[in-house]
Amino acid sequence: MRWPSWFRRRSEPSVRTRRFDEDALPEPPAPTLEQSVEEGMLLAEYATRMAVKNHIVVDTIQYGHDFDPSRHTAEAAAMLRELAAEQGEAAGRIEEELAAASGLRGDAMHPHDYRDVDTANLTLRRDAALALAGALRAKADSEQQLLDLVERGRADAWDEVRRAIEAGLDAFSGREALRDDYERERPARLKLLIWRDLARLQEERTGY
């Protein structure tokens, strides 16, 4: 029996594809000094905000102090100066690697075996580390920039505490809310939430 042509399964037309050639990809542009410093500042500011946030949580929840920005600017300045010192040390190490790589030919034996072909990249990294160290020290010396960091850390701390309170209240809802003495016990439960759950959160986040 010969099937009618309309019932026959039509084969999909094949599409010829060329093999992927990695060498044909365009070279990504090298980062500029400004881009390297900007990226480093973003990372440093984030690390400082987290340190300030933890400092605020401990100072207000564990020690019961009222929030005062001036109590936390020193923490922000210390963190920035610590990061600046790390960048200065990194610049010193890169300077040594640059001196060793200059004029050295041949293939690298491992990722940190720098050769003359790597000197441009090493120079950029050294200059970026030095520029970033200077920018971080300038930020640590600026009272207004420190206050801005503390304010952002305060917002991060409040967001963390708010989420912890909401999670705790959600856990107390349901069958607890149906108890006759729920409203009477509510202040004590909130106090327990603050002293127990937030203390546990602070310990998880800060390590003490």
Side-chain angles (χ1 to χ4, degrees):
M1 177 178 177
R2 186 180 181 84
W3 295 101
S5 60
W6 56 267
F7 192 76
R8 296 173 189 165
R9 184 176 181 180
R10 296 181 181 180
S11 59
E12 296 292 333
S14 60
V15 178
R16 282 184 170 273
T17 58
R18 288 185 297 179
R19 295 179 60 183
F20 177 73
D21 184 5
E22 186 176 357
D23 294 332
L25 293 175
E27 286 288 333
T32 65
L33 177 62
E34 292 75 15
Q35 290 171 335
S36 299
V37 175
E38 181 180 0
E39 181 179 349
M41 283 297 293
L42 288 174
L43 294 173
E45 287 180 357
Y46 178 77
T48 304
R49 278 174 52 197
M50 294 302 99
V52 171
K53 179 204 69 175
N54 292 336
H55 194 264
I56 292 172
V57 170
V58 171
D59 191 60
T60 55
I61 292 179
Q62 180 173 342
Y63 296 111
H65 296 140
D66 293 334
F67 174 74
D68 180 359
S70 63
R71 295 180 63 86
H72 310 289
T73 53
E75 178 72 14
M79 184 66 179
L80 290 169
R81 291 193 177 97
E82 179 181 344
L83 294 173
E86 291 177 1
Q87 289 301 310
E89 293 173 2
R93 291 194 300 270
I94 297 171
E95 182 66 37
E96 294 176 358
E97 293 168 345
L98 183 59
S102 297
L104 189 62
R105 310 292 180 179
D107 296 329
M109 303 301 293
H110 53 78
H112 298 289
D113 182 18
Y114 298 111
R115 303 290 168 140
D116 191 73
V117 70
D118 301 309
T119 54
N121 182 46
L122 289 171
T123 300
L124 174 64
R125 289 173 50 197
R126 179 203 60 193
D127 294 347
L130 290 172
L132 181 56
L136 290 171
R137 291 191 185 96
K139 200 175 189 69
D141 292 336
S142 170
E143 186 68 19
Q144 184 56 55
Q145 293 192 63
L146 292 176
L147 290 173
D148 290 343
L149 278 173
V150 169
E151 174 56 27
R152 293 165 68 186
R154 183 202 63 79
D156 293 332
W158 170 241
D159 184 63
E160 186 171 285
V161 170
R162 175 185 57 78
R163 286 186 280 109
I165 291 175
E166 289 176 350
L169 292 176
D170 288 342
F172 283 138
S173 63
R175 64 182 182 86
E176 291 290 336
L178 297 177
R179 293 178 52 177
D180 294 337
D181 56 356
Y182 174 77
E183 289 298 330
R184 179 171 56 81
E185 294 182 357
R186 187 178 181 184
R189 291 182 178 281
L190 288 175
K191 186 174 182 180
L192 177 63
L193 168 69
I194 293 173
W195 288 105
R196 184 191 63 189
D197 293 359
L198 293 186
R200 184 184 302 119
L201 173 66
Q202 165 226 308
E203 182 179 355
E204 292 174 353
R205 297 287 183 173
T206 64
Y208 58 89

